[in-house]
Amino acid sequence: MLHKLLFILLLLSAFGSVLMPSSIKKTSWPKAIQKTSKYSSAEGFQLGRALFYDPILSKDSSISCASCHLSYTAFAHVDHATSHGVEDRIGKRNAPGLFNLAWRSNFHWDGGVLNLSGQAINPLTHPDEMGETLTNVLDKLNATANYKQYFKRVYKQPTIQTWMLLDAIQQFTLALVSKNSFFDRVQKNEVEFTAQQASGYRLFENYCQRCHEAPLFFSNRFESNGIASSNDLGRFEITGKPTDKNLFRVPSLRNITHTFPYMHDGRFKTLKAVLQHYSKQFNLDENAQKDIIAFLKTLTDTSFIFNPEFQFHTLKSQP
Amino acid sequence: MKIFVLSFGLFFNTLHFAQLQIQLLWQEKSFELDQSNALNDSLQIQVSEFKFYLQGQERNLQNYYYLIDASDKGSLTLTEKLNACQVGLSPTIQISSEFTGALDPINGMYWAWNTGFISVKCVGELVNIHTKRLQHFEFHLGGYQAPFACFYPLTNIGTALQIHLDQWFKQIFQDKQYTTQIMRPCCEGTEIFNLFVSTISHAP
């Protein structure tokens, strides 16, 4: 009996490194980089949420922020290689998922935007996205009673101004925090990885973590993803430095199952295709690729993706 | 009596609140937008848009941001008593998310795609008198990081800053032939910005 018990203990210790949560490296969340608005409030968040879903922001009232950032796909533009804009215009980059933006020091694939509050000006005014002018947006909002009333409540001023519009949108996007995936629950010792997920995590730590750092699974650096194209030189387009050619910011792998297609130009439709792309660099066999994908699936946070607080909202529905 | 009160009021305003005048000049005369000016025997220039930022600091270290706009005469008079002044905005304010007043992106001076404000914006047409060839030019000069930093401290501010636009354009289009479209932080943009600040003189 004692022998049997010893044997079982031996087996457990042998596999313990694979299965036991204690073998998973604990990572703590860093301090947020983006500042919270001094006008931050529940009403400010709802106002930003309504604006995010309102096509009034676009030139012909056809496109809203949510057109390319769908809540059900972690605010990515699922199944679209690059973003779509007014008059069926096509952008040149993939619309990334929107979450954990407070921990970003830069935005866009080339990192040209340094603060979240100013980011929204880009899609609003880009001719291939919403194609509108800030003046027109403000005129339209100021002519809408509901908006005037809400903005006044949040910002205590009679006329809607640019900074208020940007601040309200930021209040919503800054609140999009995703940190309740299976991986996070493993970190809290609530659940355990399967053998395949644990194997995938070890491989991930060896090959992927250098760029996609836990717990955010992105970094604020710019790296080569092994894709060179003549019409998008990435970071170089901002800095003009030859060493920055074909470098792109490192995207988050959280909710990766929902944010396809992948890469800055959306060229890969599946995680398998992405892993095949990187396996040339890292020499990963098919089993290793499958294990990594099994791990990546643990980064999906359905409580975030299906959070009704982040879904479609209009001020008209407010009392 | 009413007229006297009104006149006195205007005089009082000018005397006490105009601390610094910005004078836009073309060959020592007042420069106007949308007017043709001869650059030399063959080139004429017509400017449709001309704006630049001044950042000033009072003795108590309070900062002020001014958008000097040739289309807005009111912007040419600064009412604060400035202790220090620079053309262009400091890096801190460029990335601060401050979007009010002169810094409102609605003014067309904010680079949304590459965080930061344009320091000097100038748009217009060059016309060759002989060939009638028309060439559009557009300069968005800015950047706050080396080597493309476009801000320049002014010393001994005095009561007026004189901007000699004829000298600036001569350097751009006559002495050296720059690209006619610059809309991002770059070497040429920084050079043209430096030429711009070199044409500023001070009135005592």
Side-chain angles (χ1 to χ4, degrees):
Chain A
M1 181 64 188
L2 189 66
H3 282 103
K4 269 188 184 173
L5 203 65
L6 278 172
F7 180 69
I8 290 166
L9 279 173
L10 208 69
L11 267 179
L12 275 176
S13 65
F15 288 104
S17 61
V18 173
L19 298 172
M20 296 298 282
S22 57
S23 71
I24 305 302
K25 192 179 165 190
K26 296 285 184 291
T27 49
S28 56
W29 279 61
K31 204 178 158 195
I33 296 169
Q34 297 296 317
K35 285 180 196 160
T36 313
S37 163
K38 61 180 172 185
Y39 295 92
S40 209
S41 64
E43 280 192 318
F45 166 84
Q46 295 299 351
L47 176 59
R49 183 178 166 199
L51 288 163
F52 188 88
Y53 285 99
D54 197 336
I56 195 175
L57 301 186
S58 66
K59 183 184 177 180
D60 56 6
S61 293
S62 64
I63 301 281
S64 72
C65 305
S67 300
C68 293
H69 297 285
L70 291 77
S71 66
Y72 301 110
T73 55
F75 293 93
H77 201 184
V78 70
D79 209 24
H80 287 72
T82 57
S83 55
H84 291 193
V86 291
E87 296 161 355
D88 296 324
R89 291 186 189 157
I90 306 281
K92 72 172 182 179
R93 288 175 178 158
N94 177 259
L98 301 182
F99 46 84
N100 302 339
L101 302 175
W103 288 271
R104 282 274 185 198
S105 65
N106 57 71
F107 302 92
H108 292 190
W109 285 98
D110 55 25
V113 176
L114 300 181
N115 39 47
L116 186 58
S117 57
Q119 189 281 333
I121 302 172
N122 289 275
L124 286 173
T125 57
H126 196 290
D128 293 333
E129 296 189 41
M130 291 174 171
E132 186 56 292
T133 64
L134 284 172
T135 312
N136 285 348
V137 172
L138 294 178
D139 285 349
K140 286 189 278 185
L141 293 175
N142 275 308
T144 310
N146 270 344
Y147 275 121
K148 273 205 92 166
Q149 186 188 335
Y150 258 79
F151 270 99
K152 195 174 176 185
R153 259 192 246 169
V154 176
Y155 298 102
K156 319 291 180 212
Q157 298 207 27
T159 308
I160 303 166
Q161 297 170 46
T162 317
W163 66 269
M164 300 177 198
L165 166 69
L166 300 175
D167 186 88
I169 294 173
Q170 186 198 228
Q171 285 201 40
F172 176 65
T173 52
L174 208 54
L176 302 175
V177 175
S178 174
K179 56 191 305 189
N180 192 28
S181 66
F182 190 87
F183 169 82
D184 297 304
R185 290 164 59 209
V186 170
Q187 289 266 304
K188 289 186 258 180
N189 292 338
E190 292 172 6
V191 288
E192 294 174 12
F193 279 149
T194 65
Q196 189 183 26
Q197 288 165 344
S199 163
Y201 184 45
R202 278 200 309 277
L203 289 161
F204 180 87
E205 285 184 304
N206 287 338
Y207 297 107
C208 318
Q209 176 127 318
R210 191 183 71 79
C211 295
H212 301 276
E213 297 165 6
L216 292 157
F217 293 95
F218 65 71
S219 81
N220 285 310
R221 297 188 308 273
F222 301 91
E223 305 280 352
S224 166
N225 56 12
I227 295 169
S229 75
S230 55
N231 73 337
D232 192 351
L233 298 174
R235 184 66 179 155
F236 173 80
E237 294 184 4
I238 297 299
T239 65
K241 291 181 189 165
T243 50
D244 285 342
K245 268 186 190 166
N246 299 312
L247 299 189
F248 294 88
R249 76 166 196 166
V250 178
S252 177
L253 300 184
R254 282 183 174 268
N255 302 306
I256 195 76
T257 49
H258 286 62
T259 59
F260 63 94
Y262 308 109
M263 313 310 247
H264 62 276
D265 56 4
R267 66 175 57 197
F268 297 133
K269 285 194 168 183
T270 62
L271 282 174
K272 194 178 169 186
V274 177
L275 265 293
Q276 279 172 351
H277 168 71
Y278 283 119
S279 68
K280 291 170 206 157
Q281 186 183 345
F282 298 125
N283 200 21
L284 297 166
D285 64 25
E286 204 168 318
N287 282 335
Q289 292 174 35
K290 281 180 183 169
D291 288 358
I292 292 175
I293 290 171
F295 165 69
L296 292 175
K297 286 180 178 173
T298 72
L299 300 178
T300 298
D301 177 0
T302 49
S303 67
F304 166 72
I305 292 170
F306 301 113
N307 186 343
E309 280 294 304
F310 299 144
Q311 290 168 8
F312 178 79
H313 172 68
T314 171
L315 294 182
K316 286 171 197 156
S317 61
Q318 289 292 302
Chain B
M1 180 62 184
K2 274 180 185 170
I3 293 168
F4 169 76
V5 170
L6 186 65
S7 309
F8 182 77
L10 284 173
F11 172 74
F12 186 83
N13 272 340
T14 311
L15 189 71
H16 285 267
F17 294 107
Q19 301 285 1
L20 184 64
Q21 285 289 338
I22 313 297
Q23 298 170 355
L24 305 180
L25 303 173
W26 186 274
Q27 293 176 346
E28 305 304 324
K29 288 180 185 162
S30 179
F31 167 85
E32 298 292 336
L33 286 180
D34 301 316
Q35 280 189 5
S36 284
N37 290 300
L39 203 60
N40 52 38
D41 292 342
S42 56
L43 278 179
Q44 274 195 337
I45 192 166
Q46 190 168 321
V47 179
S48 57
E49 192 176 1
F50 176 68
K51 303 174 187 176
F52 67 95
Y53 274 116
L54 274 183
Q55 179 175 337
Q57 197 174 66
E58 278 187 335
R59 200 175 289 278
N60 63 5
L61 303 182
Q62 166 80 42
N63 277 307
Y64 292 91
Y65 309 100
Y66 306 97
L67 179 59
I68 311 301
D69 184 347
S71 71
D72 173 13
K73 298 287 180 202
S75 73
L76 304 179
T77 303
L78 313 190
T79 53
E80 287 76 22
K81 186 166 176 56
L82 301 176
N83 197 38
C85 190
Q86 70 173 29
V87 179
L89 304 171
S90 63
T92 317
I93 196 71
Q94 297 251 11
I95 56 169
S96 68
S97 302
E98 177 64 55
F99 294 128
T100 55
L103 305 178
D104 191 330
I106 213 163
N107 295 324
M109 295 291 277
Y110 185 68
W111 264 324
W113 58 278
N114 185 2
T115 297
F117 289 87
I118 295 165
S119 297
V120 180
K121 190 177 202 178
C122 186
V123 182
E125 313 279 353
L126 275 175
V127 185
N128 186 306
I129 300 164
H130 307 302
T131 63
K132 306 289 179 202
R133 185 170 170 261
L134 195 134
Q135 189 173 20
H136 177 80
F137 68 87
E138 185 146 4
F139 297 130
H140 299 183
L141 314 173
Y144 57 90
Q145 286 176 317
F148 308 133
C150 286
F151 49 91
Y152 184 84
L154 300 169
T155 49
N156 304 319
I157 308 163
T159 57
L161 289 180
Q162 297 178 325
I163 319 285
H164 303 275
L165 289 165
D166 53 319
Q167 291 175 21
W168 188 39
F169 289 122
K170 272 182 185 160
Q171 291 182 81
I172 299 171
F173 297 117
Q174 187 178 292
D175 301 348
K176 249 182 126 175
Q177 292 195 330
Y178 286 97
T179 317
T180 49
Q181 191 151 308
I182 295 174
M183 303 169 89
R184 63 190 171 89
C186 62
C187 285
E188 272 201 310
T190 312
E191 275 183 41
I192 296 177
F193 173 81
N194 289 333
L195 292 176
F196 172 72
V197 294
S198 75
T199 66
I200 300 176
S201 66
H202 313 274

